[in-house]
Amino acid sequence: MAIQEASPLGHHATLPAGEKVDQVASFAQRSRLPSIYGAREYVDAGGLMSYGPSIADLFRRAATYVDKILKGAKPADLPVEQPTKFELIINLKTAKALDLTIPPSVLSQDSTASTMALFGEP
């Protein structure tokens, strides 16, 4: 379903995906649709929140694979790994613009398996 169709049909939030980061995030904000994304870039462009693997952590872990391969390991012999570090990113400025209150229990969470970044003036 296109994001343009979500609001008139009574949907209260979206989980959009696509390549036009700025357009998707700004349309969701103009349409007053709280949206969660799989990549931080959407939140940086004004989206409400994202949840997904830490890209920085994935790059660091990829470097260990490169090191092993350069030291002679066969790529086919290396195990496939799943992400272990995830990030919840919340744009407080967008939350305020949408008249949303982020519960204190969410704002105060701290976990070793995941990280949270908050930005924007609440």
Side-chain angles (χ1 to χ4, degrees):
M1 172 185 318
I3 193 169
Q4 292 93 334
E5 300 170 3
S7 190
L9 293 176
H11 296 283
H12 302 291
T14 64
L15 174 59
E19 298 176 17
K20 308 239 184 245
V21 173
D22 292 333
Q23 291 176 348
V24 171
S26 109
F27 183 82
Q29 194 173 17
R30 282 192 320 271
S31 301
R32 302 193 47 77
L33 284 170
S35 300
I36 186 166
Y37 306 91
R40 180 188 183 128
E41 291 79 19
Y42 288 93
V43 180
D44 292 339
L48 177 62
M49 65 175 62
S50 68
Y51 182 75
S54 167
I55 302 301
D57 186 58
L58 293 178
F59 280 125
R60 277 191 291 278
R61 293 174 62 201
T64 63
Y65 274 74
V66 171
D67 181 56
K68 289 176 184 180
I69 292 167
L70 292 175
K71 289 180 178 175
K74 294 181 182 178
D77 294 339
L78 297 175
V80 174
E81 293 185 11
Q82 297 293 321
T84 57
K85 187 174 183 179
F86 292 82
E87 296 177 315
L88 172 64
I89 313 293
I90 301 173
N91 187 327
L92 297 175
K93 184 177 178 182
T94 300
K96 182 179 181 181
L98 294 172
D99 294 325
L100 297 174
T101 302
I102 307 299
S105 59
V106 172
L107 297 175
S108 66
Q109 287 197 9
D110 186 25
S111 171
T112 57
S114 63
T115 61
M116 180 186 306
L118 304 168
F119 62 90
E121 291 298 318

